[in-house]
């Protein structure tokens, strides 16, 4: 099961990598602590197959058989499309780049960055969620810091560079620091 408070793991199995990327698609705009048990329930109720993608492929394009509605994920059309695209993409989750990932419907810059940072060491990326943006604003790191993840690639990269420069100045790993900020802010 995905543990949002301890999500960095560099030696995931293929099934764990698939679970994580599906989780990231589902968690967009929602609380990670709510989505993690939903994802666990979704995956635990499936017929015995080797990986989440194999289950999705076995269902074809049958939205009902995926069971997303029963788990209460919401946004079923978007999620179903993303799940089916991911399962059929042949995306190598061990070697894909951020650019490879964002070609999939439902994966944006933040989700792609999270996936890479949480599955591979030494990534120089920022995971610009509401918690990190609020931290940046309170620290006075830049002008024009939005309240939510920027959809513009140019704006995302501007803020990512600001965050990475801040991490460099502190001499800290951006992935670890990001998780510390998330845990502190999301858990009160």
């Amino acid at each position: 099961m995905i543990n949002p408070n301890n999500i960095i793991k560099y030696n995931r199995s293929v099934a764990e990598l698939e679970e994580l990327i599906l989780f990231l698609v589902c968690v967009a705009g929602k609380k990670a602590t709510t989505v993690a048990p939903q994802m666990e329930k979704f995956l635990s109720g499936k017929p015995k197959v080797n990986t989440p993608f194999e289950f999705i492929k076995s269902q074809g394009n049958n939205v009902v058989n995926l069971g997303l509605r029963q788990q209460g994920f919401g946004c079923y059309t978007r999620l179903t499309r993303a799940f089916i695209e991911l399962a059929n993409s042949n995306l190598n989750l061990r070697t894909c780049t951020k650019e490879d990932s964002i070609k999939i419907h439902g994966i944006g810059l933040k989700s792609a960055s999270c996936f890479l940072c949480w599955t591979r060491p030494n990534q120089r990326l920022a995971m610009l969620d509401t918690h990190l943006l609020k931290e940046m604003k309170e620290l006075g790191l830049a002008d024009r810091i939005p309240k939510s993840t920027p959809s513009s690639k140019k704006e995302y990269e501007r803020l990512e560079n600001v965050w990475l420069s801040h991490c460099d100045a502190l001499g800290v790993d951006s992935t670890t620091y990001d998780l510390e900020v998330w845990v502190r802010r999301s858990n009160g």
Side-chain angles (χ1 to χ4, degrees):
M1 179 171 136
I2 301 289
N3 178 353
N5 294 307
N6 187 22
I7 201 154
I8 301 167
K9 182 179 175 186
Y10 300 135
N11 61 344
R12 294 176 199 263
S13 67
V14 170
E16 290 172 321
L17 290 168
E18 291 177 7
E19 178 184 10
L20 179 62
I21 199 122
L22 293 172
F23 168 79
L24 287 166
V25 168
C26 292
V27 80
K30 299 180 180 90
K31 287 188 65 128
T33 53
T34 300
V35 175
Q38 288 175 314
M39 180 59 65
E40 175 71 12
K41 190 173 178 185
F42 170 74
L43 293 175
S44 67
K46 302 303 163 227
K48 296 296 178 205
V49 292
N50 290 331
T51 71
F53 285 9
E54 287 178 7
F55 165 72
I56 293 165
K57 285 194 265 190
S58 75
Q59 302 307 301
N61 291 330
N62 191 329
V63 177
V64 174
N65 285 349
L66 282 180
L68 294 170
R69 186 175 301 276
Q70 293 86 336
Q71 301 309 321
F73 284 114
C75 305
Y76 311 111
T77 303
R78 179 183 66 82
L79 293 181
T80 299
R81 178 177 171 192
F83 278 31
I84 291 169
E85 271 190 43
L86 270 167
N88 292 295
S89 69
N90 295 319
L91 187 66
N92 184 329
L93 297 177
R94 294 205 189 283
T95 62
C96 63
T97 64
K98 183 160 61 168
E99 290 72 28
D100 295 333
S101 302
I102 63 174
K103 291 176 186 172
I104 304 292
H105 177 78
I107 300 179
L109 294 165
K110 180 187 77 171
S111 295
S113 295
C114 289
F115 181 79
L116 294 174
C117 288
W118 296 341
T119 62
R120 301 177 197 168
N122 306 315
Q123 297 297 303
R124 283 199 45 83
L125 300 166
M127 298 164 272
L128 300 176
D129 65 1
T130 56
H131 306 290
L132 193 62
L133 292 166
K134 189 172 184 181
E135 181 89 356
M136 291 174 69
K137 186 172 187 148
E138 287 178 8
L139 292 172
L141 296 181
D143 296 332
R144 303 181 333 265
I145 296 177
K147 290 184 178 182
S148 60
T149 304
S151 56
S152 154
K153 185 175 182 181
K154 182 178 178 181
E155 180 65 359
Y156 192 99
E157 289 174 348
R158 177 185 77 85
L159 292 169
E160 181 174 58
N161 288 329
V162 168
W163 179 252
L164 294 174
S165 294
H166 175 66
C167 290
D168 291 345
L170 294 175
V172 298
D173 171 67
S174 61
T175 301
T176 306
Y177 188 21
D178 176 274
L179 183 59
E180 290 171 12
V181 169
W182 183 84
V183 168
R184 178 172 29 90
R185 288 187 174 276
S186 66
N187 294 328

